[in-house]
Amino acid sequence: MQQRPLGKSSLSIAPLAFGGNVFGWSVDEKRSFELLDAFVDAGFNLIDTADVYSAWVPGNRGGESETIIGKWLKQSGKRNKVVIATKVGKWTDQPGLSPVNITQAVDSSLKRLQTDHIDLYQAHEDDASTPLAETLGAFARLIESGKVRVIGASNYNADRLAEALKVSREYNLPRYESLQPDYNLIDRAGYEKDLEPLIRSENIGVINYYSLASGFLSGKYRSESDLAKSSVRGGAVKKYLNPRGMQILAALDEVASTHHAKPAQVALAWLMARPGITAPIASATSVEQLHELVGAAELSLSDNEIARLNSASE
């Protein structure tokens, strides 16, 4: 599996990341272990989670995803085969990016993950109430202590990311080597207009989430009646059931038929081919679904096919 560098960091990752938000939510511990084994055995290595996952599930309080991953790491012995990425700042139990919270939160995450270091530690969302120099200084101390290797940002807008990079340079602090934005074939404008020029000029890695637009780009949802197929995703994709959405699905179907592939694979391959994208994040709830998703890495889209998809989604 060809590895891609994450920004200017020492981390190298395969071109698809597994989204750990499903662990402890839509898949139980046993299925989570099966998915993680299948993902790594297929040659992929980046597992993305957060301390808050999956606090939104009735009966959960947060930390469930990290706990499951930690149990799997201990049982499987595959710690040296994976890049573990988690986040801090969005959990109501440990909110914000103050130095005190970051210091406490990282120790809690390390304990749940049953590891002595986090490969990629990400600010889950911007915290305007804490000076960037204080946040980055706290991250610097974690790197110096060996608890964290690389830091990244999630849900930062272009102005704040640029400001954070400036602070890193001015104060000789570690910089955010990755960005985690909402980006996919149907939701393009927010990322491409402001963030993409910045990440490409600064050589920031991108591990985007909602890569399949909550499942819409899989082609599973094509009418109002299809929304009932998923109580979890149905409501989130309703907004895409419009002429533009159907136009994008038609283009995905067309390209997929040429490659004897699935629409989801083409949507992920389009992301993988986008300059600046390091690895889109995608989740699976079955091993069969996972095998379909990882197959995207084997697709090589032509310039004409990429142009067809671009045109359909403009």
Side-chain angles (χ1 to χ4, degrees):
M1 180 66 62
Q2 185 176 4
Q3 304 278 304
R4 298 177 173 184
L6 186 70
K8 296 179 181 179
S9 78
S10 60
L11 299 180
S12 293
I13 60 179
L16 182 70
F18 195 105
N21 61 318
V22 295
F23 302 145
W25 175 25
S26 47
V27 293
D28 60 16
E29 183 177 296
K30 180 177 183 296
R31 177 64 57 82
S32 298
F33 283 20
E34 293 171 355
L35 289 166
L36 287 164
D37 281 329
F39 183 72
V40 175
D41 291 347
F44 297 85
N45 62 344
L46 180 59
I47 301 165
D48 179 77
T49 187
D51 55 6
V52 69
Y53 297 167
S54 48
W56 57 87
V57 180
N60 286 1
R61 61 176 304 274
E64 289 80 14
S65 176
E66 288 183 332
T67 298
I68 287 174
I69 292 170
K71 290 180 179 179
W72 172 78
L73 288 173
K74 183 176 182 180
Q75 176 179 295
S76 69
K78 294 178 179 177
R79 179 65 182 93
N80 65 339
K81 293 185 177 182
V82 295
V83 173
I84 298 296
T86 193
K87 311 180 197 75
V88 58
K90 209 171 180 178
W91 190 12
T92 54
D93 278 19
Q94 292 183 305
L97 299 176
S98 69
V100 170
N101 188 59
I102 288 173
T103 301
Q104 293 175 345
V106 74
D107 286 338
S108 296
S109 287
L110 287 169
K111 184 177 181 179
R112 286 188 292 268
L113 288 165
Q114 299 192 51
T115 185
D116 62 354
H117 71 279
I118 293 165
D119 298 299
L120 176 63
Y121 201 37
Q122 302 159 98
H124 203 160
E125 63 182 4
D126 190 13
D127 176 9
S129 67
T130 303
L132 286 164
E134 291 186 12
T135 293
L136 293 165
F139 283 139
R141 290 187 287 276
L142 296 185
I143 292 173
E144 290 166 2
S145 69
K147 293 180 179 180
V148 169
R149 293 178 64 190
V150 175
I151 59 171
S154 175
N155 299 304
Y156 273 53
N157 64 35
D159 288 344
R160 285 289 283 177
L161 180 58
E163 187 179 349
L165 294 171
K166 181 181 178 182
V167 168
S168 293
R169 286 191 293 266
E170 290 181 349
Y171 291 88
N172 194 29
L173 294 168
R175 72 170 201 157
Y176 290 135
E177 291 292 349
S178 66
L179 175 68
Q180 192 168 139
D182 176 355
Y183 182 55
N184 53 63
L185 187 58
I186 196 167
D187 294 317
R188 297 176 56 185
Y191 167 78
E192 292 181 13
K193 181 177 182 292
D194 298 318
L195 286 166
E196 187 175 51
L198 176 62
I199 65 96
R200 294 195 64 187
S201 66
E202 294 282 356
N203 191 14
I204 303 292
V206 176
I207 50 175
N208 55 293
Y209 65 91
Y210 285 165
S211 299
L212 295 176
S214 298
F216 176 75
L217 296 174
S218 70
K220 179 179 179 180
Y221 308 96
R222 296 173 185 262
S223 67
E224 292 271 350
S225 61
D226 289 335
L227 300 180
K229 291 179 180 179
S230 173
S231 59
V232 175
R233 303 289 188 185
V237 302
K238 185 177 182 179
K239 62 185 176 182
Y240 301 125
L241 295 176
N242 54 45
R244 179 172 176 264
M246 295 304 104
Q247 180 174 282
I248 292 171
L249 289 185
L252 285 172
D253 289 339
E254 179 184 316
V255 175
S257 65
T258 302
H259 291 271
H260 304 290
K262 301 288 187 180
Q265 294 175 320
V266 175
L268 290 173
W270 177 85
L271 284 166
M272 293 174 189
R274 184 84 184 180
I277 298 295
T278 311
I281 300 170
S283 299
T285 55
S286 70
V287 173
E288 293 75 20
Q289 184 185 31
L290 176 65
H291 286 155
E292 178 181 312
L293 296 180
V294 300
E298 299 175 3
L299 285 185
S300 180
L301 303 182
S302 69
D303 290 343
N304 286 339
E305 289 169 335
I306 292 173
R308 171 77 176 92
L309 294 167
N310 287 345
S311 176
S313 62
E314 287 179 348

